[in-house]
PDB file of all heavy atoms in Angstrom:
ATOM      1  N   ILE A   1      71.878 -32.692 -50.238  1.00 96.00           N
ATOM      2  CA  ILE A   1      71.943 -32.265 -48.844  1.00 96.00           C
ATOM      3  C   ILE A   1      72.955 -33.136 -48.098  1.00 96.00           C
ATOM      4  O   ILE A   1      73.202 -34.287 -48.458  1.00 96.00           O
ATOM      5  CB  ILE A   1      70.565 -32.318 -48.150  1.00 96.00           C
ATOM      6  CG1 ILE A   1      69.989 -33.732 -48.116  1.00 96.00           C
ATOM      7  CG2 ILE A   1      69.602 -31.342 -48.811  1.00 96.00           C
ATOM      8  CD1 ILE A   1      68.712 -33.854 -47.296  1.00 96.00           C
ATOM      9  N   SER A   2      73.526 -32.575 -47.051  1.00 96.00           N
ATOM     10  CA  SER A   2      74.648 -33.226 -46.373  1.00 96.00           C
ATOM     11  C   SER A   2      74.303 -34.595 -45.811  1.00 96.00           C
ATOM     12  O   SER A   2      75.160 -35.489 -45.775  1.00 96.00           O
ATOM     13  CB  SER A   2      75.171 -32.317 -45.257  1.00 96.00           C
ATOM     14  OG  SER A   2      74.130 -31.969 -44.361  1.00 96.00           O
ATOM     15  N   SER A   3      73.081 -34.821 -45.385  1.00 96.00           N
ATOM     16  CA  SER A   3      72.705 -36.112 -44.796  1.00 96.00           C
ATOM     17  C   SER A   3      72.574 -37.219 -45.836  1.00 96.00           C
ATOM     18  O   SER A   3      72.560 -38.407 -45.480  1.00 96.00           O
ATOM     19  CB  SER A   3      71.388 -35.974 -44.028  1.00 96.00           C
ATOM     20  OG  SER A   3      70.378 -35.475 -44.880  1.00 96.00           O
ATOM     21  N   LEU A   4      72.458 -36.865 -47.117  1.00 96.00           N
ATOM     22  CA  LEU A   4      72.302 -37.871 -48.171  1.00 96.00           C
ATOM     23  C   LEU A   4      73.593 -38.110 -48.951  1.00 96.00           C
ATOM     24  O   LEU A   4      73.610 -38.923 -49.879  1.00 96.00           O
ATOM     25  CB  LEU A   4      71.184 -37.461 -49.142  1.00 96.00           C
ATOM     26  CG  LEU A   4      69.766 -37.412 -48.554  1.00 96.00           C
ATOM     27  CD1 LEU A   4      68.767 -37.010 -49.620  1.00 96.00           C
ATOM     28  CD2 LEU A   4      69.374 -38.748 -47.943  1.00 96.00           C
ATOM     29  N   ARG A   5      74.649 -37.441 -48.576  1.00 91.00           N
ATOM     30  CA  ARG A   5      75.927 -37.668 -49.256  1.00 91.00           C
ATOM     31  C   ARG A   5      76.529 -39.015 -48.825  1.00 91.00           C
ATOM     32  O   ARG A   5      76.404 -39.431 -47.674  1.00 91.00           O
ATOM     33  CB  ARG A   5      76.913 -36.560 -48.908  1.00 91.00           C
ATOM     34  CG  ARG A   5      76.617 -35.227 -49.566  1.00 91.00           C
ATOM     35  CD  ARG A   5      77.626 -34.195 -49.099  1.00 91.00           C
ATOM     36  NE  ARG A   5      77.474 -32.930 -49.815  1.00 91.00           N
ATOM     37  CZ  ARG A   5      78.151 -31.837 -49.504  1.00 91.00           C
ATOM     38  NH1 ARG A   5      79.029 -31.860 -48.518  1.00 91.00           N
ATOM     39  NH2 ARG A   5      77.970 -30.723 -50.185  1.00 91.00           N
ATOM     40  N   ASP A   6      77.173 -39.657 -49.742  1.00 88.00           N
ATOM     41  CA  ASP A   6      77.955 -40.869 -49.444  1.00 88.00           C
ATOM     42  C   ASP A   6      77.135 -41.967 -48.781  1.00 88.00           C
ATOM     43  O   ASP A   6      77.618 -42.689 -47.913  1.00 88.00           O
ATOM     44  CB  ASP A   6      79.166 -40.521 -48.551  1.00 88.00           C
ATOM     45  CG  ASP A   6      80.047 -39.448 -49.160  1.00 88.00           C
ATOM     46  OD1 ASP A   6      80.251 -39.487 -50.389  1.00 88.00           O
ATOM     47  OD2 ASP A   6      80.514 -38.565 -48.431  1.00 88.00           O
ATOM     48  N   ILE A   7      75.873 -42.094 -49.173  1.00 94.00           N
ATOM     49  CA  ILE A   7      75.057 -43.193 -48.667  1.00 94.00           C
ATOM     50  C   ILE A   7      74.656 -44.092 -49.832  1.00 94.00           C
ATOM     51  O   ILE A   7      74.663 -43.668 -50.996  1.00 94.00           O
ATOM     52  CB  ILE A   7      73.790 -42.698 -47.937  1.00 94.00           C
ATOM     53  CG1 ILE A   7      72.859 -41.949 -48.911  1.00 94.00           C
ATOM     54  CG2 ILE A   7      74.149 -41.800 -46.756  1.00 94.00           C
ATOM     55  CD1 ILE A   7      71.498 -41.654 -48.336  1.00 94.00           C
ATOM     56  N   THR A   8      74.318 -45.319 -49.523  1.00 94.00           N
ATOM     57  CA  THR A   8      73.897 -46.277 -50.548  1.00 94.00           C
ATOM     58  C   THR A   8      72.654 -47.011 -50.064  1.00 94.00           C
ATOM     59  O   THR A   8      72.388 -47.073 -48.854  1.00 94.00           O
ATOM     60  CB  THR A   8      74.999 -47.315 -50.814  1.00 94.00           C
ATOM     61  OG1 THR A   8      75.196 -48.112 -49.626  1.00 94.00           O
ATOM     62  CG2 THR A   8      76.313 -46.635 -51.193  1.00 94.00           C
ATOM     63  N   PRO A   9      71.884 -47.563 -50.994  1.00 95.00           N
ATOM     64  CA  PRO A   9      70.703 -48.329 -50.583  1.00 95.00           C
ATOM     65  C   PRO A   9      71.021 -49.525 -49.689  1.00 95.00           C
ATOM     66  O   PRO A   9      70.156 -49.997 -48.947  1.00 95.00           O
ATOM     67  CB  PRO A   9      70.108 -48.785 -51.927  1.00 95.00           C
ATOM     68  CG  PRO A   9      70.574 -47.769 -52.915  1.00 95.00           C
ATOM     69  CD  PRO A   9      71.950 -47.396 -52.455  1.00 95.00           C
ATOM     70  N   SER A  10      72.257 -49.989 -49.726  1.00 94.00           N
ATOM     71  CA  SER A  10      72.608 -51.171 -48.928  1.00 94.00           C
ATOM     72  C   SER A  10      72.799 -50.851 -47.458  1.00 94.00           C
ATOM     73  O   SER A  10      72.693 -51.750 -46.609  1.00 94.00           O
ATOM     74  CB  SER A  10      73.874 -51.817 -49.487  1.00 94.00           C
ATOM     75  OG  SER A  10      74.977 -50.920 -49.375  1.00 94.00           O
ATOM     76  N   ASP A  11      73.081 -49.562 -47.137  1.00 93.00           N
ATOM     77  CA  ASP A  11      73.350 -49.260 -45.729  1.00 93.00           C
ATOM     78  C   ASP A  11      72.416 -48.218 -45.131  1.00 93.00           C
ATOM     79  O   ASP A  11      72.541 -47.860 -43.965  1.00 93.00           O
ATOM     80  CB  ASP A  11      74.809 -48.796 -45.556  1.00 93.00           C
ATOM     81  CG  ASP A  11      75.127 -47.510 -46.320  1.00 93.00           C
ATOM     82  OD1 ASP A  11      74.194 -46.806 -46.740  1.00 93.00           O
ATOM     83  OD2 ASP A  11      76.324 -47.218 -46.503  1.00 93.00           O
ATOM     84  N   THR A  12      71.467 -47.715 -45.925  1.00 96.00           N
ATOM     85  CA  THR A  12      70.637 -46.608 -45.451  1.00 96.00           C
ATOM     86  C   THR A  12      69.179 -46.779 -45.878  1.00 96.00           C
ATOM     87  O   THR A  12      68.890 -47.115 -47.027  1.00 96.00           O
ATOM     88  CB  THR A  12      71.150 -45.261 -46.013  1.00 96.00           C
ATOM     89  OG1 THR A  12      72.529 -45.106 -45.680  1.00 96.00           O
ATOM     90  CG2 THR A  12      70.357 -44.095 -45.439  1.00 96.00           C
ATOM     91  N   ARG A  13      68.293 -46.535 -44.947  1.00 97.00           N
ATOM     92  CA  ARG A  13      66.858 -46.430 -45.238  1.00 97.00           C
ATOM     93  C   ARG A  13      66.462 -44.960 -45.097  1.00 97.00           C
ATOM     94  O   ARG A  13      66.978 -44.250 -44.233  1.00 97.00           O
ATOM     95  CB  ARG A  13      66.053 -47.302 -44.280  1.00 97.00           C
ATOM     96  CG  ARG A  13      64.527 -47.219 -44.488  1.00 97.00           C
ATOM     97  CD  ARG A  13      63.780 -48.144 -43.546  1.00 97.00           C
ATOM     98  NE  ARG A  13      63.884 -49.546 -43.979  1.00 97.00           N
ATOM     99  CZ  ARG A  13      64.602 -50.466 -43.374  1.00 97.00           C
ATOM    100  NH1 ARG A  13      65.320 -50.144 -42.292  1.00 97.00           N
ATOM    101  NH2 ARG A  13      64.652 -51.702 -43.832  1.00 97.00           N
ATOM    102  N   ILE A  14      65.562 -44.486 -45.924  1.00 98.00           N
ATOM    103  CA  ILE A  14      65.110 -43.100 -45.890  1.00 98.00           C
ATOM    104  C   ILE A  14      63.736 -43.041 -45.234  1.00 98.00           C
ATOM    105  O   ILE A  14      62.877 -43.883 -45.504  1.00 98.00           O
ATOM    106  CB  ILE A  14      65.027 -42.498 -47.307  1.00 98.00           C
ATOM    107  CG1 ILE A  14      66.308 -42.789 -48.106  1.00 98.00           C
ATOM    108  CG2 ILE A  14      64.749 -40.996 -47.228  1.00 98.00           C
ATOM    109  CD1 ILE A  14      67.548 -42.138 -47.560  1.00 98.00           C
ATOM    110  N   VAL A  15      63.536 -42.040 -44.400  1.00 98.00           N
ATOM    111  CA  VAL A  15      62.223 -41.875 -43.768  1.00 98.00           C
ATOM    112  C   VAL A  15      61.723 -40.446 -43.971  1.00 98.00           C
ATOM    113  O   VAL A  15      62.464 -39.476 -43.813  1.00 98.00           O
ATOM    114  CB  VAL A  15      62.267 -42.235 -42.267  1.00 98.00           C
ATOM    115  CG1 VAL A  15      63.323 -41.431 -41.516  1.00 98.00           C
ATOM    116  CG2 VAL A  15      60.900 -42.041 -41.627  1.00 98.00           C
ATOM    117  N   PHE A  16      60.467 -40.342 -44.388  1.00 98.00           N
ATOM    118  CA  PHE A  16      59.739 -39.079 -44.474  1.00 98.00           C
ATOM    119  C   PHE A  16      58.575 -39.154 -43.495  1.00 98.00           C
ATOM    120  O   PHE A  16      57.830 -40.147 -43.503  1.00 98.00           O
ATOM    121  CB  PHE A  16      59.179 -38.848 -45.877  1.00 98.00           C
ATOM    122  CG  PHE A  16      60.207 -38.610 -46.938  1.00 98.00           C
ATOM    123  CD1 PHE A  16      60.889 -39.662 -47.526  1.00 98.00           C
ATOM    124  CD2 PHE A  16      60.495 -37.320 -47.360  1.00 98.00           C
ATOM    125  CE1 PHE A  16      61.828 -39.453 -48.524  1.00 98.00           C
ATOM    126  CE2 PHE A  16      61.432 -37.086 -48.356  1.00 98.00           C
ATOM    127  CZ  PHE A  16      62.107 -38.155 -48.941  1.00 98.00           C
ATOM    128  N   VAL A  17      58.409 -38.134 -42.669  1.00 98.00           N
ATOM    129  CA  VAL A  17      57.286 -38.105 -41.731  1.00 98.00           C
ATOM    130  C   VAL A  17      56.375 -36.933 -42.084  1.00 98.00           C
ATOM    131  O   VAL A  17      56.815 -35.769 -42.094  1.00 98.00           O
ATOM    132  CB  VAL A  17      57.763 -37.968 -40.270  1.00 98.00           C
ATOM    133  CG1 VAL A  17      56.563 -37.839 -39.334  1.00 98.00           C
ATOM    134  CG2 VAL A  17      58.620 -39.174 -39.873  1.00 98.00           C
ATOM    135  N   VAL A  18      55.117 -37.241 -42.374  1.00 98.00           N
ATOM    136  CA  VAL A  18      54.092 -36.213 -42.554  1.00 98.00           C
ATOM    137  C   VAL A  18      53.388 -36.061 -41.215  1.00 98.00           C
ATOM    138  O   VAL A  18      52.652 -36.951 -40.790  1.00 98.00           O
ATOM    139  CB  VAL A  18      53.094 -36.611 -43.654  1.00 98.00           C
ATOM    140  CG1 VAL A  18      51.985 -35.566 -43.766  1.00 98.00           C
ATOM    141  CG2 VAL A  18      53.805 -36.784 -44.985  1.00 98.00           C
ATOM    142  N   ALA A  19      53.637 -34.968 -40.522  1.00 97.00           N
ATOM    143  CA  ALA A  19      53.066 -34.742 -39.190  1.00 97.00           C
ATOM    144  C   ALA A  19      51.739 -34.015 -39.334  1.00 97.00           C
ATOM    145  O   ALA A  19      51.696 -32.827 -39.673  1.00 97.00           O
ATOM    146  CB  ALA A  19      54.040 -33.933 -38.339  1.00 97.00           C
ATOM    147  N   THR A  20      50.653 -34.727 -39.084  1.00 96.00           N
ATOM    148  CA  THR A  20      49.324 -34.140 -39.314  1.00 96.00           C
ATOM    149  C   THR A  20      49.023 -33.005 -38.346  1.00 96.00           C
ATOM    150  O   THR A  20      48.228 -32.112 -38.667  1.00 96.00           O
ATOM    151  CB  THR A  20      48.232 -35.221 -39.202  1.00 96.00           C
ATOM    152  OG1 THR A  20      48.295 -35.834 -37.909  1.00 96.00           O
ATOM    153  CG2 THR A  20      48.417 -36.283 -40.281  1.00 96.00           C
ATOM    154  N   SER A  21      49.663 -32.987 -37.176  1.00 95.00           N
ATOM    155  CA  SER A  21      49.429 -31.884 -36.232  1.00 95.00           C
ATOM    156  C   SER A  21      49.888 -30.555 -36.816  1.00 95.00           C
ATOM    157  O   SER A  21      49.297 -29.506 -36.543  1.00 95.00           O
ATOM    158  CB  SER A  21      50.150 -32.153 -34.912  1.00 95.00           C
ATOM    159  OG  SER A  21      51.544 -32.253 -35.112  1.00 95.00           O
ATOM    160  N   LEU A  22      50.941 -30.584 -37.634  1.00 93.00           N
ATOM    161  CA  LEU A  22      51.410 -29.360 -38.280  1.00 93.00           C
ATOM    162  C   LEU A  22      50.412 -28.871 -39.321  1.00 93.00           C
ATOM    163  O   LEU A  22      50.325 -27.666 -39.599  1.00 93.00           O
ATOM    164  CB  LEU A  22      52.769 -29.599 -38.941  1.00 93.00           C
ATOM    165  CG  LEU A  22      53.944 -29.910 -38.010  1.00 93.00           C
ATOM    166  CD1 LEU A  22      55.205 -30.183 -38.827  1.00 93.00           C
ATOM    167  CD2 LEU A  22      54.186 -28.777 -37.026  1.00 93.00           C
ATOM    168  N   MET A  23      49.662 -29.789 -39.888  1.00 94.00           N
ATOM    169  CA  MET A  23      48.690 -29.419 -40.917  1.00 94.00           C
ATOM    170  C   MET A  23      47.426 -28.820 -40.308  1.00 94.00           C
ATOM    171  O   MET A  23      46.741 -28.014 -40.942  1.00 94.00           O
ATOM    172  CB  MET A  23      48.321 -30.647 -41.752  1.00 94.00           C
ATOM    173  CG  MET A  23      49.501 -31.251 -42.499  1.00 94.00           C
ATOM    174  SD  MET A  23      49.129 -32.890 -43.184  1.00 94.00           S
ATOM    175  CE  MET A  23      47.825 -32.498 -44.348  1.00 94.00           C
ATOM    176  N   THR A  24      47.112 -29.219 -39.076  1.00 92.00           N
ATOM    177  CA  THR A  24      45.835 -28.828 -38.492  1.00 92.00           C
ATOM    178  C   THR A  24      45.901 -27.583 -37.615  1.00 92.00           C
ATOM    179  O   THR A  24      44.885 -26.929 -37.395  1.00 92.00           O
ATOM    180  CB  THR A  24      45.261 -29.978 -37.640  1.00 92.00           C
ATOM    181  OG1 THR A  24      46.205 -30.297 -36.602  1.00 92.00           O
ATOM    182  CG2 THR A  24      45.016 -31.215 -38.475  1.00 92.00           C
ATOM    183  N   ARG A  25      47.087 -27.247 -37.120  1.00 87.00           N
ATOM    184  CA  ARG A  25      47.134 -26.199 -36.099  1.00 87.00           C
ATOM    185  C   ARG A  25      47.153 -24.790 -36.661  1.00 87.00           C
ATOM    186  O   ARG A  25      47.016 -23.818 -35.915  1.00 87.00           O
ATOM    187  CB  ARG A  25      48.347 -26.418 -35.202  1.00 87.00           C
ATOM    188  CG  ARG A  25      49.683 -26.056 -35.826  1.00 87.00           C
ATOM    189  CD  ARG A  25      50.830 -26.381 -34.887  1.00 87.00           C
ATOM    190  NE  ARG A  25      52.115 -25.947 -35.416  1.00 87.00           N
ATOM    191  CZ  ARG A  25      53.268 -26.298 -34.881  1.00 87.00           C
ATOM    192  NH1 ARG A  25      53.285 -27.102 -33.830  1.00 87.00           N
ATOM    193  NH2 ARG A  25      54.402 -25.860 -35.393  1.00 87.00           N
ATOM    194  N   ARG A  26      47.322 -24.624 -37.968  1.00 91.00           N
ATOM    195  CA  ARG A  26      47.338 -23.307 -38.585  1.00 91.00           C
ATOM    196  C   ARG A  26      46.392 -23.268 -39.784  1.00 91.00           C
ATOM    197  O   ARG A  26      46.051 -24.307 -40.344  1.00 91.00           O
ATOM    198  CB  ARG A  26      48.747 -22.945 -39.075  1.00 91.00           C
ATOM    199  CG  ARG A  26      49.766 -22.627 -37.993  1.00 91.00           C
ATOM    200  CD  ARG A  26      51.107 -22.367 -38.642  1.00 91.00           C
ATOM    201  NE  ARG A  26      52.150 -21.965 -37.736  1.00 91.00           N
ATOM    202  CZ  ARG A  26      52.461 -20.708 -37.433  1.00 91.00           C
ATOM    203  NH1 ARG A  26      51.763 -19.729 -37.975  1.00 91.00           N
ATOM    204  NH2 ARG A  26      53.453 -20.427 -36.606  1.00 91.00           N
ATOM    205  N   GLN A  27      46.019 -22.059 -40.182  1.00 95.00           N
ATOM    206  CA  GLN A  27      45.177 -21.897 -41.364  1.00 95.00           C
ATOM    207  C   GLN A  27      46.078 -21.697 -42.580  1.00 95.00           C
ATOM    208  O   GLN A  27      46.219 -20.624 -43.135  1.00 95.00           O
ATOM    209  CB  GLN A  27      44.224 -20.705 -41.204  1.00 95.00           C
ATOM    210  CG  GLN A  27      43.133 -20.680 -42.262  1.00 95.00           C
ATOM    211  CD  GLN A  27      42.199 -19.510 -42.098  1.00 95.00           C
ATOM    212  OE1 GLN A  27      42.631 -18.388 -41.860  1.00 95.00           O
ATOM    213  NE2 GLN A  27      40.906 -19.758 -42.224  1.00 95.00           N
ATOM    214  N   TRP A  28      46.691 -22.803 -43.033  1.00 97.00           N
ATOM    215  CA  TRP A  28      47.619 -22.743 -44.143  1.00 97.00           C
ATOM    216  C   TRP A  28      46.907 -22.454 -45.459  1.00 97.00           C
ATOM    217  O   TRP A  28      45.762 -22.864 -45.661  1.00 97.00           O
ATOM    218  CB  TRP A  28      48.345 -24.081 -44.299  1.00 97.00           C
ATOM    219  CG  TRP A  28      49.153 -24.510 -43.125  1.00 97.00           C
ATOM    220  CD1 TRP A  28      48.839 -25.494 -42.230  1.00 97.00           C
ATOM    221  CD2 TRP A  28      50.411 -23.983 -42.694  1.00 97.00           C
ATOM    222  NE1 TRP A  28      49.829 -25.613 -41.280  1.00 97.00           N
ATOM    223  CE2 TRP A  28      50.807 -24.699 -41.540  1.00 97.00           C
ATOM    224  CE3 TRP A  28      51.255 -22.980 -43.179  1.00 97.00           C
ATOM    225  CZ2 TRP A  28      51.996 -24.439 -40.865  1.00 97.00           C
ATOM    226  CZ3 TRP A  28      52.440 -22.717 -42.503  1.00 97.00           C
ATOM    227  CH2 TRP A  28      52.797 -23.442 -41.360  1.00 97.00           C
ATOM    228  N   HIS A  29      47.597 -21.792 -46.349  1.00 98.00           N
ATOM    229  CA  HIS A  29      47.124 -21.712 -47.730  1.00 98.00           C
ATOM    230  C   HIS A  29      47.235 -23.110 -48.330  1.00 98.00           C
ATOM    231  O   HIS A  29      48.243 -23.799 -48.166  1.00 98.00           O
ATOM    232  CB  HIS A  29      47.980 -20.728 -48.529  1.00 98.00           C
ATOM    233  CG  HIS A  29      47.352 -20.306 -49.816  1.00 98.00           C
ATOM    234  ND1 HIS A  29      47.139 -21.181 -50.874  1.00 98.00           N
ATOM    235  CD2 HIS A  29      46.888 -19.101 -50.235  1.00 98.00           C
ATOM    236  CE1 HIS A  29      46.586 -20.529 -51.879  1.00 98.00           C
ATOM    237  NE2 HIS A  29      46.415 -19.258 -51.515  1.00 98.00           N
ATOM    238  N   ARG A  30      46.210 -23.516 -49.016  1.00 98.00           N
ATOM    239  CA  ARG A  30      46.186 -24.875 -49.541  1.00 98.00           C
ATOM    240  C   ARG A  30      47.364 -25.156 -50.482  1.00 98.00           C
ATOM    241  O   ARG A  30      47.946 -26.242 -50.469  1.00 98.00           O
ATOM    242  CB  ARG A  30      44.860 -25.127 -50.268  1.00 98.00           C
ATOM    243  CG  ARG A  30      44.675 -26.587 -50.676  1.00 98.00           C
ATOM    244  CD  ARG A  30      43.333 -26.813 -51.351  1.00 98.00           C
ATOM    245  NE  ARG A  30      43.194 -28.235 -51.658  1.00 98.00           N
ATOM    246  CZ  ARG A  30      42.612 -29.128 -50.879  1.00 98.00           C
ATOM    247  NH1 ARG A  30      42.108 -28.743 -49.710  1.00 98.00           N
ATOM    248  NH2 ARG A  30      42.529 -30.402 -51.228  1.00 98.00           N
ATOM    249  N   GLN A  31      47.728 -24.174 -51.290  1.00 98.00           N
ATOM    250  CA  GLN A  31      48.833 -24.389 -52.224  1.00 98.00           C
ATOM    251  C   GLN A  31      50.167 -24.527 -51.491  1.00 98.00           C
ATOM    252  O   GLN A  31      51.055 -25.246 -51.941  1.00 98.00           O
ATOM    253  CB  GLN A  31      48.896 -23.250 -53.241  1.00 98.00           C
ATOM    254  CG  GLN A  31      47.726 -23.266 -54.215  1.00 98.00           C
ATOM    255  CD  GLN A  31      47.838 -22.194 -55.273  1.00 98.00           C
ATOM    256  OE1 GLN A  31      48.912 -21.869 -55.730  1.00 98.00           O
ATOM    257  NE2 GLN A  31      46.696 -21.638 -55.676  1.00 98.00           N
ATOM    258  N   ARG A  32      50.313 -23.841 -50.371  1.00 98.00           N
ATOM    259  CA  ARG A  32      51.546 -23.974 -49.585  1.00 98.00           C
ATOM    260  C   ARG A  32      51.689 -25.395 -49.051  1.00 98.00           C
ATOM    261  O   ARG A  32      52.756 -26.007 -49.135  1.00 98.00           O
ATOM    262  CB  ARG A  32      51.541 -22.963 -48.441  1.00 98.00           C
ATOM    263  CG  ARG A  32      52.683 -23.152 -47.455  1.00 98.00           C
ATOM    264  CD  ARG A  32      53.110 -21.831 -46.852  1.00 98.00           C
ATOM    265  NE  ARG A  32      53.890 -21.980 -45.640  1.00 98.00           N
ATOM    266  CZ  ARG A  32      55.087 -22.549 -45.554  1.00 98.00           C
ATOM    267  NH1 ARG A  32      55.654 -23.071 -46.628  1.00 98.00           N
ATOM    268  NH2 ARG A  32      55.719 -22.618 -44.406  1.00 98.00           N
ATOM    269  N   LEU A  33      50.619 -25.932 -48.490  1.00 97.00           N
ATOM    270  CA  LEU A  33      50.647 -27.314 -48.016  1.00 97.00           C
ATOM    271  C   LEU A  33      50.900 -28.276 -49.165  1.00 97.00           C
ATOM    272  O   LEU A  33      51.701 -29.208 -49.053  1.00 97.00           O
ATOM    273  CB  LEU A  33      49.322 -27.665 -47.339  1.00 97.00           C
ATOM    274  CG  LEU A  33      49.156 -27.373 -45.855  1.00 97.00           C
ATOM    275  CD1 LEU A  33      47.817 -27.905 -45.384  1.00 97.00           C
ATOM    276  CD2 LEU A  33      50.283 -27.964 -45.023  1.00 97.00           C
ATOM    277  N   HIS A  34      50.197 -28.074 -50.261  1.00 98.00           N
ATOM    278  CA  HIS A  34      50.310 -28.997 -51.395  1.00 98.00           C
ATOM    279  C   HIS A  34      51.738 -29.000 -51.946  1.00 98.00           C
ATOM    280  O   HIS A  34      52.280 -30.069 -52.281  1.00 98.00           O
ATOM    281  CB  HIS A  34      49.317 -28.593 -52.485  1.00 98.00           C
ATOM    282  CG  HIS A  34      49.116 -29.651 -53.526  1.00 98.00           C
ATOM    283  ND1 HIS A  34      47.923 -30.328 -53.672  1.00 98.00           N
ATOM    284  CD2 HIS A  34      49.948 -30.168 -54.469  1.00 98.00           C
ATOM    285  CE1 HIS A  34      48.035 -31.197 -54.664  1.00 98.00           C
ATOM    286  NE2 HIS A  34      49.264 -31.120 -55.163  1.00 98.00           N
ATOM    287  N   LEU A  35      52.346 -27.819 -52.045  1.00 98.00           N
ATOM    288  CA  LEU A  35      53.721 -27.742 -52.539  1.00 98.00           C
ATOM    289  C   LEU A  35      54.651 -28.628 -51.723  1.00 98.00           C
ATOM    290  O   LEU A  35      55.379 -29.460 -52.266  1.00 98.00           O
ATOM    291  CB  LEU A  35      54.212 -26.296 -52.485  1.00 98.00           C
ATOM    292  CG  LEU A  35      55.726 -26.115 -52.689  1.00 98.00           C
ATOM    293  CD1 LEU A  35      56.120 -26.435 -54.120  1.00 98.00           C
ATOM    294  CD2 LEU A  35      56.169 -24.711 -52.288  1.00 98.00           C
ATOM    295  N   VAL A  36      54.643 -28.459 -50.418  1.00 98.00           N
ATOM    296  CA  VAL A  36      55.584 -29.185 -49.558  1.00 98.00           C
ATOM    297  C   VAL A  36      55.302 -30.681 -49.595  1.00 98.00           C
ATOM    298  O   VAL A  36      56.217 -31.499 -49.771  1.00 98.00           O
ATOM    299  CB  VAL A  36      55.513 -28.644 -48.117  1.00 98.00           C
ATOM    300  CG1 VAL A  36      56.395 -29.485 -47.196  1.00 98.00           C
ATOM    301  CG2 VAL A  36      55.940 -27.182 -48.068  1.00 98.00           C
ATOM    302  N   LEU A  37      54.033 -31.055 -49.466  1.00 98.00           N
ATOM    303  CA  LEU A  37      53.696 -32.480 -49.390  1.00 98.00           C
ATOM    304  C   LEU A  37      53.938 -33.189 -50.723  1.00 98.00           C
ATOM    305  O   LEU A  37      54.446 -34.320 -50.760  1.00 98.00           O
ATOM    306  CB  LEU A  37      52.248 -32.647 -48.944  1.00 98.00           C
ATOM    307  CG  LEU A  37      51.957 -32.197 -47.517  1.00 98.00           C
ATOM    308  CD1 LEU A  37      50.455 -32.200 -47.250  1.00 98.00           C
ATOM    309  CD2 LEU A  37      52.672 -33.085 -46.496  1.00 98.00           C
ATOM    310  N   SER A  38      53.577 -32.553 -51.819  1.00 98.00           N
ATOM    311  CA  SER A  38      53.788 -33.207 -53.114  1.00 98.00           C
ATOM    312  C   SER A  38      55.275 -33.269 -53.459  1.00 98.00           C
ATOM    313  O   SER A  38      55.746 -34.259 -54.034  1.00 98.00           O
ATOM    314  CB  SER A  38      53.009 -32.494 -54.225  1.00 98.00           C
ATOM    315  OG  SER A  38      53.424 -31.149 -54.363  1.00 98.00           O
ATOM    316  N   ALA A  39      56.035 -32.230 -53.097  1.00 98.00           N
ATOM    317  CA  ALA A  39      57.475 -32.265 -53.339  1.00 98.00           C
ATOM    318  C   ALA A  39      58.132 -33.358 -52.498  1.00 98.00           C
ATOM    319  O   ALA A  39      59.045 -34.055 -52.970  1.00 98.00           O
ATOM    320  CB  ALA A  39      58.090 -30.906 -53.028  1.00 98.00           C
TER     321      ALA A  39
END
């Protein structure tokens, strides 16, 4: 992906945010949630 091109561990930190409000506000299929979170 374009944001990860030409970066190195010396100059970049990676952040992933799991937003629990997105998980609670809809009646998601469990496998749909699991796919995204585990990936």
Side-chain angles (χ1 to χ4, degrees):
I1 61 173
S2 55
S3 56
L4 295 181
R5 287 178 174 174
D6 304 320
I7 64 170
T8 65
S10 63
D11 62 16
T12 305
R13 178 178 284 108
I14 312 295
V15 56
F16 292 81
V17 176
V18 177
T20 58
S21 61
L22 295 177
M23 298 168 63
T24 59
R25 74 183 185 191
R26 288 177 176 268
Q27 192 180 44
W28 299 106
H29 196 294
R30 188 178 183 93
Q31 291 184 35
R32 172 149 162 64
L33 272 185
H34 194 112
L35 168 69
V36 175
L37 293 171
S38 61

